[in-house]
Amino acid sequence: MPVWIDGRPAALLPVTDRGLAYGDGLFETIAVRQGHIALLERHLQRLGEGARRLALPLDLALVRSELLAFAGELGHGVAKLIVTRGDGQRGYAPPADAHCRRILSGNPPPAYPVGHRLDGIRLHPCATRLAEQPLLAGLKHLNRLEQVLARAEWQDPACAEGLMCDSSGRVIEGVFSNLFMVRGGELLTPSLARCGVAGVMRAEILVRAAAAGVATRIGDLDCAELLAADEVFLCNSQYGIWPVVALDCHRWPVGELTRKLQGLLVDLVDA
Amino acid sequence: MPVWIDGRPAALLPVTDRGLAYGDGLFETIAVRQGHIALLERHLQRLGEGARRLALPLDLALVRSELLAFAGELGHGVAKLIVTRGDGQRGYAPPADAHCRRILSGNPPPAYPVGHRLDGIRLHPCATRLAEQPLLAGLKHLNRLEQVLARAEWQDPACAEGLMCDSSGRVIEGVFSNLFMVRGGELLTPSLARCGVAGVMRAEILVRAAAAGVATRIGDLDCAELLAADEVFLCNSQYGIWPVVALDCHRWPVGELTRKLQGLLVDLVDA
């Protein structure tokens, strides 16, 4: 599998990189099908927004051209892009002359059981809460210890994902997915103003659902609303949509709107 | 300046390191004087506590022996130790067979103006708040974007440090220092139960102050209490103690207890 640093094959980076020292950077996990990048513009848009908010001097046109060339070499799989603030001396102050480092790693397509998509999955209720930090909310940055702690909570393969709430008890997302619920025909997804990652598939689903005449709403949602939902599903850029059918002793059916939305994404996801 | 990875001279690490991917690790910034490590046991104790809470399978005896050898080679300066969960595949789940990577980098002694220690420093009031995450509070982990954002708030060299509060408005620490205040002869420092880094110099000051008969207290402290304090100072393992004399238009004197505590630390800090 190919690995590039700054546009050239390389698999080692200096210990002085600020991505290592402070998690001072961003990443994207990008589905590549037959050399074609799914949701390229959405990935670049989120990356650009993250770079703006972290004041990373990132050349997005360069990232785009490197991504396109890398996807051609990878062919079929997952391209993971890490962007850091590059090398730094000791100390938190961002260097005035920072040069962002771009790291691209190829991986095989994820091998999730087909049953996750067809029959739905069970959620582990994570005890790890997401801290509320509006300055970082929505970004796919490199400070991901909360996800590491949450994912380490369960080994039971019967749970394919975990449910994460914020420290105030609002329902936010999965460990590596965004969350949607359906109530009375309306499609709801948690606000990511305080924490959480604004997934590219979440954004795409909101747009395609609205275009198909589905009412959509982003807002604060609590556990009671989750349990009262008619349908619940997760999404991310790799697997598309997984229906959620169980959390502890609660059960949801694989719903009609969930199936319809899966059907609207067939161009983006491996069958 | 020497750089070692896993006990051997090396300055490059694989892009698959989880320290880069997720900030999945810890660090220590260690003062070395004439080959001797200041506060070695406190650094190892904090590192061990962090490894326990993050479930990092770290061999502390190995870290100790590498640190001692590295300090001998460095002689005089700052040894930065980064410990990561080592290499991983894509995905947050910690590998069952993780091998922690130890990275040691040597740096010259910090060249802070002597006036910081003698005359005190001015604090920048950081707008960046610390999110409240009890699972990570106190640890010197690699998720440090809040400190990067806070330190980027000011360039004015007249401010040597910044004051950070948590999202509820409690006073917590400096960007790279811990904070103390004195009120009516009592030495107070903020609780780090929700956020903040439990500095080794903070711990040492609490012990030495108590041994010298000073009443000490750890607790929640707000801005009003800071402004009402008789004395305020910052500390870290590199510079020892800096009196704080200004924050916005507020002024504090360089106090008697601050001077006394500086005197109690002369064995730990370069004159």
Side-chain angles (χ1 to χ4, degrees), chain A residues 234-255:
Chain A
L234 296 172
C235 69
N236 84 12
S237 61
Q238 304 304 310
Y239 64 71
I241 286 176
W242 286 343
V244 174
V245 296
L247 172 72
D248 291 332
C249 56
H250 196 86
R251 297 289 176 276
W252 295 273
V254 178

Side-chain angles (χ1 to χ4, degrees), chain A residues 118-194:
Chain A
L118 298 180
D119 309 322
I121 61 111
R122 168 185 290 273
L123 278 181
H124 168 82
C126 293
T128 302
R129 299 292 184 99
L130 294 164
E132 297 169 33
Q133 177 48 278
L135 295 176
L136 299 174
L139 302 187
K140 203 168 170 86
H141 56 69
L142 296 175
N143 281 197
R144 299 261 76 103
L145 273 173
E146 291 177 330
Q147 282 71 28
V148 172
L149 291 177
R151 186 59 192 83
E153 285 185 31
W154 81 97
Q155 277 75 46
D156 183 355
C159 287
E161 244 285 30
L163 174 68
M164 298 197 76
C165 297
D166 69 14
S167 48
S168 304
R170 300 178 199 95
V171 167
I172 304 295
E173 62 188 5
V175 177
F176 57 93
S177 311
N178 286 119
L179 183 121
F180 281 88
M181 48 187 99
V182 179
R183 186 82 195 269
E186 190 182 33
L187 183 64
L188 310 168
T189 193
S191 163
L192 306 177
R194 301 177 195 86

Side-chain angles (χ1 to χ4, degrees), chain A residues 3-5 10-25 27 29 53-55 78 80 82 84-85 89-94 103 105 107-108 110 112 127-133 135-136 140-149 151-152 167 175-176 197 238, chain B residues 3-5 10-25 27 29 53-55 78 80 82 84-85 89-94 103 105 107-108 110 112 127-133 135-136 140-149 151-152 167 175-176 197 238:
Chain A
V3 183
W4 292 6
I5 298 179
L12 298 170
L13 80 164
V15 298
T16 46
D17 191 278
R18 289 176 56 101
L20 173 70
Y22 306 129
D24 192 5
F27 71 111
T29 308
R53 286 170 58 188
L54 298 184
V78 182
K80 176 164 179 175
I82 294 178
T84 76
R85 205 183 300 270
Q89 299 304 308
R90 220 175 58 73
Y92 292 118
I103 302 161
S105 314
N107 292 278
Y112 296 119
T128 302
R129 299 292 184 99
L130 294 164
E132 297 169 33
Q133 177 48 278
L135 295 176
L136 299 174
K140 203 168 170 86
H141 56 69
L142 296 175
N143 281 197
R144 299 261 76 103
L145 273 173
E146 291 177 330
Q147 282 71 28
V148 172
L149 291 177
R151 186 59 192 83
S167 48
V175 177
F176 57 93
V197 176
Q238 304 304 310
Chain B
V3 182
W4 292 6
I5 298 180
L12 299 170
L13 81 164
V15 298
T16 46
D17 191 279
R18 289 175 58 101
L20 173 70
Y22 306 129
D24 191 6
F27 71 112
T29 308
R53 286 169 58 188
L54 298 184
V78 182
K80 177 164 177 175
I82 294 178
T84 77
R85 205 182 301 270
Q89 299 303 307
R90 218 174 59 74
Y92 293 118
I103 302 161
S105 315
N107 292 277
Y112 296 119
T128 302
R129 300 292 183 101
L130 294 164
E132 297 168 34
Q133 176 49 277
L135 296 176
L136 299 174
K140 203 167 169 88
H141 57 68
L142 297 175
N143 281 198
R144 299 261 76 104
L145 273 172
E146 291 177 330
Q147 282 71 29
V148 172
L149 291 176
R151 187 57 192 84
S167 48
V175 177
F176 56 94
V197 176
Q238 303 305 310

Side-chain angles (χ1 to χ4, degrees), chain B residues 84-104:
Chain B
T84 77
R85 205 182 301 270
D87 297 319
Q89 299 303 307
R90 218 174 59 74
Y92 293 118
D97 61 342
H99 292 281
C100 285
R101 181 167 282 123
R102 291 99 48 209
I103 302 161
L104 276 162

